[in-house]
Amino acid sequence: MDYRPDAEQQMLIDMVRKFVREEIVPLEDNLDPDGAELDPADHARLVAKTKAMGLYGIDIPKEFGGPDIDIVTRTLLAIEMSQHRAGLYVPCYGVFGGAGLAQLFEANADQKERYLFPTLRGEKKVFFGLTEPSGGSDPARAIKTRAERKEQGWVINGSKIFISGADRAQYGIVFARTDASKGRGGITCFIVDSDTPGFHVRRVVHTLRSASYATELEFKDCWVSDAQVLGEVNKGFAIANDRLSRQRIPYAASCIGVAIKANEMAIEWAKIRSTFGELLANRQAVQWMLVDNELDIRSSRYFTLEAAQKALRGEPFRTEAAMAKLTASEAGGRVVDRSMQIFGGMGMTKDLPLERWYREMRIRRIGEGPSEVQRMVIAREIVSGGVGNA
Amino acid sequence: MRLRLNKPWRSLDAAETARVQGQLGVYQIADASGTIVMIGEAGARTTFGLRSELQRELAARGPGFSFRFEVNQQYRTRWFEMLMVHQADHGELPLDNRANPPKLGRLSPA
């Protein structure tokens, strides 16, 4: 397969690459090394630029006002957007806009009016409430939060953990068990306004990702009406699953972007740093690390673009998305680690972005489904005969 | 880690601030009545972490204040958390954090 960008894709890649290098990276010199937000004036100025570039709201479908860029091109651009210090989790500090949560594109007309459109206009923020203290890898079985029928609505009780943005969001998409006798067939998805009585953001959860935090939520007799059910009762797991599969492609792409940048820095350093009278670039031990970096980057890029192409063609891509997420998150960690080794002591400091990438990249082997779950997804397909010669 | 910083207060003076480690973390400043007037962070851009931040506070405020701190590599998220907890407990931010606060969410800590 030929994954070289076509002329139009290359033009967009060049445009975004220039934007990252000339607009984003210089601002980071004045931010905390763990910064996650731009000064509001800078943010507004750069949003105006991405709108002028025709790339604002890049992940929003055309029918909802997005720029109509296909998923392969978006993947190529996501690789570019993450090539800066905060890029793994906050690509370009959000100045290209977000799509909100993709599930809302499937919401009913009333829900779209109340939630999707305000989110797309930037008036409302949303959180995704899936993971619970009982586990995140197997949501179909781990979800203990329950919703019980009451007065033309549902009463939600339970807790969620590792939920990003819940303390700032106006509403969330929350998964709860509505039929205890069924596994994945007993979960329903609810839209919960964050000012609903009984909804609490109980604490901040500090992690390796010290630029921003997750939260722990508690639902205590939190009543929501039937109008807040997203999709159908007991069919919420499919909504969660679809989101998890789709999310794995951009998730992989940002790992690749950071790996590319780390490797680029390591190469530059190896060309100018001498030890014992010889440039690092001329030492076989370092050359082999650079070779391994290149192999890791190219292989994860291949898997990620393959997944994006299958999604673009409308074919099932869950297995390929798992392969992309698995390879890119694991390879990204190795590339950053080797690059730090090449930099030596400087690689450990907050003067360089490597230490932040090292911490954040470690989370990537867990977030959006750990490596072991990705392997289970792929293995299931292999054993059932679904994976052949690509 | 405790949600609320409850270490003993130290006098914000030259001798006490000189004893503080040059590590990253968060701190609180209280006035003579014990009211917390500032919650700050000592991030990676500071010259000597908590020590230089507290010495800067001392130079700016003069005598009559006290401080306490927590060494914490997650100084950024811990700072946000402490501000949100203070807001939840007191209904408002400390006086000296009100002029230019970071974007905060809302917590309802148990």
Side-chain angles (χ1 to χ4, degrees), chain A residues 28-34 37 166-169 194 200-204 206-208 210-213 350, chain B residues 1 3 24 41 43-45 73-81 84 102-110:
Chain A
E28 291 191 321
D29 290 341
N30 296 321
L31 293 178
D32 187 281
D34 271 342
E37 288 179 354
D167 59 318
R168 289 196 197 180
S194 50
H200 304 281
V201 183
R202 285 301 188 201
R203 70 177 181 112
V204 165
H206 301 279
T207 67
L208 286 172
S210 51
S212 50
Y213 52 82
K350 285 184 180 290
Chain B
M1 188 173 72
L3 195 60
L24 310 181
E41 62 166 344
R45 295 251 182 247
Q73 284 291 313
Q74 276 82 25
Y75 55 88
R76 195 92 186 135
T77 54
R78 179 67 170 132
W79 182 49
F80 295 148
E81 178 183 53
M84 288 189 287
K103 279 186 195 166
L104 296 172
R106 68 219 163 268
L107 279 186
S108 45

Side-chain angles (χ1 to χ4, degrees), chain A residues 133 159-163 166 200-205 214-218, chain B residues 107:
Chain A
S159 60
K160 300 281 176 184
I161 196 165
F162 299 126
I163 310 301
H200 304 281
V201 183
R202 285 301 188 201
R203 70 177 181 112
V204 165
V205 184
T215 60
E216 182 168 349
L217 313 181
E218 183 185 16
Chain B
L107 279 186

Side-chain angles (χ1 to χ4, degrees), chain A residues 55-357:
Chain A
L55 293 176
Y56 186 77
I58 195 167
D59 293 320
I60 299 171
K62 187 184 177 189
E63 59 268 37
F64 298 109
D68 195 21
I69 295 175
D70 67 73
I71 187 169
V72 174
T73 308
R74 279 188 274 132
T75 303
L76 291 165
L77 297 183
I79 292 172
E80 296 299 324
M81 287 177 194
S82 57
Q83 293 186 33
H84 59 98
R85 189 188 289 265
L88 194 58
Y89 277 97
V90 203
C92 292
Y93 296 89
V95 298
F96 284 90
L101 285 176
Q103 296 78 16
L104 287 173
F105 295 126
E106 311 302 325
N108 63 36
D110 167 58
Q111 291 168 339
K112 280 179 181 157
E113 273 309 316
R114 289 189 292 135
Y115 298 103
L116 175 62
F117 299 139
T119 305
L120 294 178
R121 291 195 296 267
E123 296 162 8
K124 284 190 174 179
K125 288 187 174 161
V126 55
F127 69 85
F128 185 75
L130 177 65
T131 302
E132 301 199 358
S134 52
S137 295
D138 180 16
R141 292 174 186 80
I143 289 177
K144 306 275 188 238
T145 295
R146 62 191 190 282
E148 290 167 342
R149 260 263 164 244
K150 191 175 181 185
E151 295 165 5
Q152 294 171 341
W154 300 84
V155 177
I156 305 174
N157 280 286
S159 60
K160 300 281 176 184
I161 196 165
F162 299 126
I163 310 301
S164 297
D167 59 318
R168 289 196 197 180
Q170 282 72 39
Y171 69 98
I173 292 181
V174 174
F175 295 84
R177 190 165 294 286
T178 38
D179 188 335
S181 67
K182 296 173 184 168
R184 60 182 57 189
I187 293 166
T188 300
C189 181
F190 296 92
I191 302 174
V192 179
D193 290 309
S194 50
D195 59 0
T196 307
F199 171 78
H200 304 281
V201 183
R202 285 301 188 201
R203 70 177 181 112
V204 165
V205 184
H206 301 279
T207 67
L208 286 172
R209 186 183 158 197
S210 51
S212 50
Y213 52 82
T215 60
E216 182 168 349
L217 313 181
E218 183 185 16
F219 297 86
K220 207 169 178 179
D221 295 327
C222 180
W223 183 85
V224 295
S225 73
D226 283 333
Q228 300 305 99
V229 173
L230 181 62
E232 295 177 47
V233 172
N234 289 334
K235 293 191 176 169
F237 183 76
I239 293 174
N241 218 18
D242 181 65
R243 187 258 188 189
L244 291 172
S245 289
R246 284 183 184 281
Q247 186 60 21
R248 282 170 189 153
I249 297 175
Y251 204 74
S254 55
C255 292
I256 298 166
V258 163
I260 288 171
K261 195 66 193 169
N263 187 44
E264 188 181 291
M265 289 170 60
I267 293 168
E268 289 304 309
W269 182 246
K271 285 179 181 173
I272 58 170
R273 178 70 163 181
S274 292
T275 55
F276 305 104
E278 190 65 72
L279 285 173
L280 292 182
N282 294 335
R283 295 197 177 280
Q284 192 181 50
V286 172
Q287 289 173 347
W288 286 17
M289 283 196 263
L290 295 175
V291 169
D292 289 342
N293 278 0
E294 191 66 28
L295 293 174
D296 273 336
I297 290 166
R298 288 195 193 200
S299 56
S300 30
R301 189 173 182 276
Y302 175 89
F303 281 120
T304 304
L305 288 175
E306 186 190 24
Q309 291 216 336
K310 286 198 93 170
L312 179 63
R313 292 196 298 265
E315 298 170 15
F317 63 95
R318 188 159 182 251
T319 305
E320 285 71 19
M323 288 178 177
K325 195 272 178 186
L326 174 64
T327 50
S329 60
E330 297 203 338
R334 290 193 296 268
V335 171
V336 171
D337 183 72
R338 286 189 206 105
S339 302
M340 291 175 87
Q341 192 70 16
I342 291 169
F343 267 94
M346 281 304 292
M348 311 300 131
T349 69
K350 285 184 180 290
D351 294 7
L352 299 179
L354 292 163
E355 68 84 31
R356 177 169 174 175
W357 293 337

